[in-house]
Amino acid sequence: MVAEHEVLAEIRRLRGLVPHVTGVLVATVDGLLVAHETSGVEPDTLAAMSAAQLGLGQQFANGAARGDFLENVTRASGGYLAVFAAGGDGLLTVVATGELNLGRLHHEARPVAERVGGLLSAAGRQ
């Protein structure tokens, strides 16, 4: 079982480090919600859509022979959605406003995704 409080601590740390982030969630690669701090979105639906985005990104990277999928950023008229691979078992999704500094997001979210991936992997071995 995943230590949800540890995953939530990572989510909160990321939200505190990156201005204009309005929500963060962690899900399994199957789209099952693990933990979230979101508002204005349905977290279970976003988790499922994020898993689909992850799967598509993995196929895209594989088809182009560019190695393992790491992340995908969608820019919309109202802001950003970013999906980061979190190890082989999960994903980290960030929702942000249009004022987001993408460089800052990448700098801060990549290590968070790595730590979350470790937590999910450890939970899977138990």
Side-chain angles (χ1 to χ4, degrees):
M1 176 150 189
V2 176
E4 186 177 350
H5 68 279
E6 292 179 67
V7 174
L8 277 170
E10 291 293 342
I11 287 171
R12 290 177 180 138
R13 181 178 298 121
L14 181 60
R15 287 192 74 178
L17 290 170
V18 184
H20 307 293
V21 168
T22 60
V24 179
L25 69 77
V26 171
T28 66
V29 294
D30 297 330
L32 299 175
L33 185 64
V34 173
H36 74 96
E37 275 199 1
T38 58
S39 61
V41 298
E42 171 52 46
D44 289 308
T45 301
L46 187 59
M49 290 188 302
S50 296
Q53 180 79 328
L54 175 78
L56 182 59
Q58 288 170 330
Q59 291 301 314
F60 197 54
N62 186 39
R66 294 295 173 238
D68 294 333
F69 171 86
L70 299 176
E71 62 208 38
N72 181 290
V73 176
T74 301
R75 182 174 176 229
S77 61
Y80 295 92
L81 295 120
V83 178
F84 296 84
D89 300 316
L91 60 89
L92 172 77
T93 298
V94 179
V95 181
T97 67
E99 292 80 25
L100 176 72
N101 179 324
L102 273 176
R104 177 84 181 265
L105 175 65
H106 290 301
H107 178 75
E108 301 294 354
R110 287 173 180 153
V112 170
E114 193 171 310
R115 288 190 298 271
V116 165
L119 292 170
L120 295 175
S121 179
R125 289 191 299 264
Q126 294 178 356

